[in-house]
Amino acid sequence: MQETRLDLARIRAARRLIDPVFLDTPLYRCEALESDLGCAVSIKLETANPVRSFKARGTEVITSLLADIRSTAVVCASAGNLGQALAWSGRGRGLDVTVVASRFAPAIKLDRIRALEAKLELVDGDFEEARERAVAIARHDGIRLVEDSLDLETCEGAGTIGLELVATEPAFDAVLIALGGGAMATGIGQVLKACAPEVEVICVQPKGAPAMTRSWRERRVVTTDSTDTIADGVAGRRPIPAVLDDLLLLADDAVLVEESSIVAGMRLLLDRADLVVEPSAALGIAAILEDRDRFAGRHVATIVCGSNVDPAAYHRWVGAASH
Amino acid sequence: MQETRLDLARIRAARRLIDPVFLDTPLYRCEALESDLGCAVSIKLETANPVRSFKARGTEVITSLLADIRSTAVVCASAGNLGQALAWSGRGRGLDVTVVASRFAPAIKLDRIRALEAKLELVDGDFEEARERAVAIARHDGIRLVEDSLDLETCEGAGTIGLELVATEPAFDAVLIALGGGAMATGIGQVLKACAPEVEVICVQPKGAPAMTRSWRERRVVTTDSTDTIADGVAGRRPIPAVLDDLLLLADDAVLVEESSIVAGMRLLLDRADLVVEPSAALGIAAILEDRDRFAGRHVATIVCGSNVDPAAYHRWVGAASH
């Protein structure tokens, strides 16, 4: 395998920096999903923790290292979950945390960031504008900027999910990973390629936010002018070149799914698995729904990566019809 | 401490017989609940596994032992969750599993028992009639009868939750445990009294199914003629004397809660913790809601013990109002 920026030994080392409350998350086969999906499905559940997403695996690594060098402040741009995770991890280590987010981010994510005592700054634009503003704050204040997916700690933290996936027997035939900036896909992908190369690594992105998938397919950075998806957690427009380079070496496929499939995936996870999830966490199920033949008879694992969702929006999407 | 039927060494041994998919479940503080409840609350989540309840901890122990002696069949009465767990554990060990349940049990529980290839027999009455029928089957067929709470393995399996609770720091001030037959309360209670005697062990039962709580208070078996609660998982009428004797030594308190509090607890777990749970799993939250002063400023853990709930009923109870 060609070299990526990632390294298995560093991912193993990252694991030791993470609060155990975020590690060894449930991984279980969910048979009740299987008649709908036509394949064996295992859930890796990253929502039963204090910040309800996988993002704290990365922020634990970053803030541990910052505490070691006696840093006092840190800033990030966030679609919501990274900010909440950084706020949680930073609070426990005495760091002043600033989060920059779009004012259009789900209110529940913004409220939970505030509740964790972080300073929250809102920008009028989308996540890409928040990124620019976070860069400016970091420069002005001379503090550490956390850049999701670009900063190796974010990928390495997510990569610890991969360590847990390969620790179980039997191995899966494929792992379906929500694709946004690429931290989760490259982190987990690195571990799978190193430890279980027979497992297919499939990234899933909404058709309404396809920049990274298009970039992967064309093997060059492709940006978009806008996004249009309910999966707010993965709605980036400007892939990071270094992350794309890694993804080109680690992903076996990248697929795009319809909004209606994301909603159908959320509904299935509610009705069959009793799980309330945010749209990004249903991308893997959506991908199976759109291509049952591809997965028929195989054993697929998917990462349920977050459950920070506005109740009103959730109800609008998933509705009462299924009840 | 006076001797109960239970023993810490046996609970530790039980742990080694349980499939790891049921062990080391998430235990995390849920700050989003705290403004509503006025105390620190940690969730012990027993629903992210193949049978969506804690009951497999016990059935794993029983079926392991049965497989060792080359048994081929087993029968139990169940409100739904034990049957599903026994079906799962028995299938993996080549046992023919018969489950006797009330035909009024939630359809989703009955469907999931059938889906796990168990033989399901329905009785016209409630759980107590199912118990009688299961006894008759066991006698007629000469096979092992699993009696929830009476059989030590069911208590010891549940007791492994206690081992996980006392392994964390800091200790909790109180643990709130749903009370039905008593397996979970006595199993966890045994471990807490042995390893963390300063932790208050509080059992919670619905006012509509108060037999064991009344028995605990009067220190003698009190039966009821009927039950009236949505918490189907704990709706027994005839406490088992030996289990009551243990509970008298292990529980610090037993409280009864209103149906409206159970619903409010389910709604809070949905809105604040993104958790869909069955009514029995919300009893602990209900107890806090009914007595905020008692828990104010303390750190309470509660076992979210099951999430097998009919979607239609759930929607009717929790409704759309909160969304």
Side-chain angles (χ1 to χ4, degrees):
Chain A
M1 184 167 92
Q2 274 183 270
E3 296 251 323
T4 66
R5 299 181 304 146
L6 297 170
D7 175 87
L8 190 62
R10 279 182 56 118
I11 294 171
R12 290 203 173 112
R15 188 179 152 92
R16 293 191 288 273
L17 303 176
I18 301 172
D19 187 306
V21 78
F22 300 108
L23 295 174
D24 300 319
T25 54
L27 174 60
Y28 59 103
R29 190 157 156 192
C30 190
E31 291 182 58
L33 282 169
E34 298 182 5
S35 64
D36 293 286
L37 298 177
C39 60
V41 178
S42 284
I43 299 284
K44 181 68 171 165
L45 190 70
E46 292 293 312
T47 63
N49 66 52
V51 301
R52 299 179 187 74
S53 84
F54 77 99
K55 293 279 188 185
R57 292 181 186 254
T59 59
E60 285 288 290
V61 178
I62 291 167
T63 56
S64 292
L65 299 172
L66 286 175
D68 283 348
I69 59 171
R70 303 194 199 292
S71 281
T72 58
V74 60
V75 60
C76 76
S78 172
N81 284 345
L82 180 73
Q84 199 181 148
L86 188 64
W88 192 94
S89 296
R91 185 183 63 175
R93 292 174 179 87
L95 292 164
D96 289 326
V97 175
T98 302
V99 177
V100 188
S102 163
R103 66 174 70 253
F104 308 112
I108 202 163
K109 290 183 175 178
L110 302 178
D111 289 344
R112 287 173 177 175
I113 291 167
R114 288 188 194 98
L116 290 166
E117 300 162 30
K119 185 179 163 201
L120 179 64
E121 187 171 319
L122 298 178
V123 298
D124 266 324
D126 68 5
F127 174 67
E128 305 296 351
E129 270 90 45
R131 268 168 76 182
E132 288 170 14
R133 177 66 189 140
V135 170
I137 292 172
R139 267 194 206 134
H140 181 269
D141 294 356
I143 60 176
R144 164 74 188 263
L145 171 68
V146 175
E147 293 200 78
D148 204 358
S149 305
L150 179 61
D151 289 1
L152 285 181
E153 299 94 331
T154 62
C155 308
E156 290 160 353
T160 61
I161 298 171
L163 297 177
E164 295 168 24
L165 288 174
V166 298
T168 61
E169 289 290 337
F172 307 103
D173 299 307
V175 176
L176 294 166
I177 308 170
L179 180 62
M184 186 160 58
T186 57
I188 295 175
Q190 181 77 27
V191 176
L192 290 172
K193 288 302 159 209
C195 303
E198 72 285 3
V199 179
E200 198 178 10
V201 175
I202 304 173
C203 303
V204 189
Q205 208 164 33
K207 271 202 177 116
M212 186 57 115
T213 295
R214 282 198 202 151
S215 302
W216 184 85
R217 289 177 182 172
E218 300 190 22
R219 304 186 69 83
R220 65 179 182 88
V221 170
V222 177
T223 61
T224 62
D225 291 335
S226 62
T227 62
D228 184 13
T229 177
I230 61 169
D232 57 283
V234 294
R237 295 186 286 110
R238 296 180 206 150
I240 298 168
V243 183
L244 173 60
D245 289 344
D246 290 343
L247 197 67
L248 285 167
L249 296 170
L250 296 170
D252 296 301
D253 200 1
V255 302
L256 297 172
V257 295
E258 303 284 351
E259 295 295 291
S260 58
S261 304
I262 299 172
V263 169
M266 293 171 76
R267 189 174 289 138
L268 267 182
L269 286 168
L270 176 65
D271 286 346
R272 302 278 185 267
D274 313 306
L275 295 173
V276 173
V277 305
E278 62 180 278
S280 306
L283 286 167
I285 302 296
I288 302 172
L289 285 170
E290 290 199 1
D291 198 355
R292 281 189 178 80
D293 288 347
R294 175 177 186 170
F295 298 103
R298 302 173 74 195
H299 188 174
V300 180
T302 186
I303 323 300
V304 173
C305 54
S307 64
N308 288 299
V309 56
D310 277 328
Y314 184 83
H315 188 68
R316 208 162 55 240
W317 297 324
V318 174
S322 62
H323 295 294
Chain B
M1 184 168 93
Q2 275 184 269
E3 296 251 324
T4 66
R5 298 182 304 147
L6 296 169
D7 175 85
L8 189 62
R10 279 182 56 119
I11 294 170
R12 291 202 173 111
R15 187 179 151 91
R16 293 192 287 275
L17 301 177
I18 301 171
D19 188 306
V21 78
F22 300 108
L23 296 174
D24 299 319
T25 54
L27 173 61
Y28 59 102
R29 191 158 156 192
C30 190
E31 291 182 57
L33 282 169
E34 298 181 4
S35 64
D36 293 285
L37 298 178
C39 60
V41 178
S42 284
I43 299 283
K44 180 68 170 164
L45 190 70
E46 292 292 312
T47 63
N49 66 51
V51 302
R52 299 180 186 72
S53 85
F54 77 100
K55 293 278 187 185
R57 292 181 185 253
T59 59
E60 285 288 289
V61 178
I62 291 167
T63 56
S64 292
L65 299 172
L66 286 176
D68 282 349
I69 58 170
R70 304 195 199 290
S71 283
T72 58
V74 60
V75 59
C76 76
S78 172
N81 284 345
L82 179 72
Q84 199 182 151
L86 188 63
W88 192 95
S89 295
R91 185 183 64 175
R93 292 174 180 88
L95 292 164
D96 289 327
V97 175
T98 301
V99 177
V100 187
S102 163
R103 67 176 70 255
F104 308 111
I108 203 164
K109 290 183 175 177
L110 302 179
D111 289 344
R112 286 174 177 174
I113 291 167
R114 287 190 195 97
L116 290 166
E117 299 162 31
K119 185 178 161 200
L120 178 64
E121 186 170 321
L122 299 178
V123 298
D124 265 325
D126 69 3
F127 174 67
E128 304 297 352
E129 270 90 48
R131 269 170 75 183
E132 288 170 14
R133 176 67 189 140
V135 170
I137 292 173
R139 267 193 208 136
H140 181 271
D141 294 355
I143 59 176
R144 164 74 188 263
L145 170 69
V146 175
E147 293 200 78
D148 205 359
S149 304
L150 178 60
D151 289 0
L152 285 180
E153 299 95 330
T154 62
C155 308
E156 290 160 353
T160 61
I161 298 171
L163 297 177
E164 296 168 24
L165 288 173
V166 298
T168 61
E169 288 290 335
F172 307 102
D173 299 307
V175 176
L176 294 167
I177 308 170
L179 180 62
M184 185 159 61
T186 57
I188 295 175
Q190 180 77 27
V191 176
L192 289 171
K193 288 302 159 208
C195 303
E198 71 284 3
V199 179
E200 197 178 10
V201 176
I202 304 173
C203 303
V204 190
Q205 208 163 34
K207 269 200 178 121
M212 186 57 116
T213 296
R214 282 200 202 149
S215 302
W216 183 86
R217 288 177 182 171
E218 300 189 22
R219 305 186 70 82
R220 65 177 182 90
V221 170
V222 177
T223 61
T224 62
D225 291 334
S226 61
T227 62
D228 183 14
T229 177
I230 62 169
D232 57 282
V234 295
R237 295 186 285 112
R238 297 182 207 148
I240 298 168
V243 184
L244 173 61
D245 288 345
D246 290 344
L247 198 68
L248 285 168
L249 296 170
L250 296 170
D252 295 303
D253 200 1
V255 302
L256 296 172
V257 295
E258 304 283 351
E259 295 295 293
S260 58
S261 303
I262 298 172
V263 169
M266 293 172 76
R267 189 175 288 136
L268 267 182
L269 285 168
L270 176 65
D271 286 347
R272 302 279 185 267
D274 313 306
L275 295 173
V276 174
V277 305
E278 62 180 277
S280 306
L283 286 167
I285 302 296
I288 303 172
L289 285 170
E290 289 199 2
D291 198 355
R292 281 190 179 78
D293 288 348
R294 174 176 185 171
F295 299 103
R298 302 173 74 195
H299 188 173
V300 179
T302 186
I303 322 299
V304 173
C305 54
S307 64
N308 288 299
V309 56
D310 277 328
Y314 185 83
H315 189 68
R316 208 163 54 238
W317 297 325
V318 174
S322 62
H323 293 293

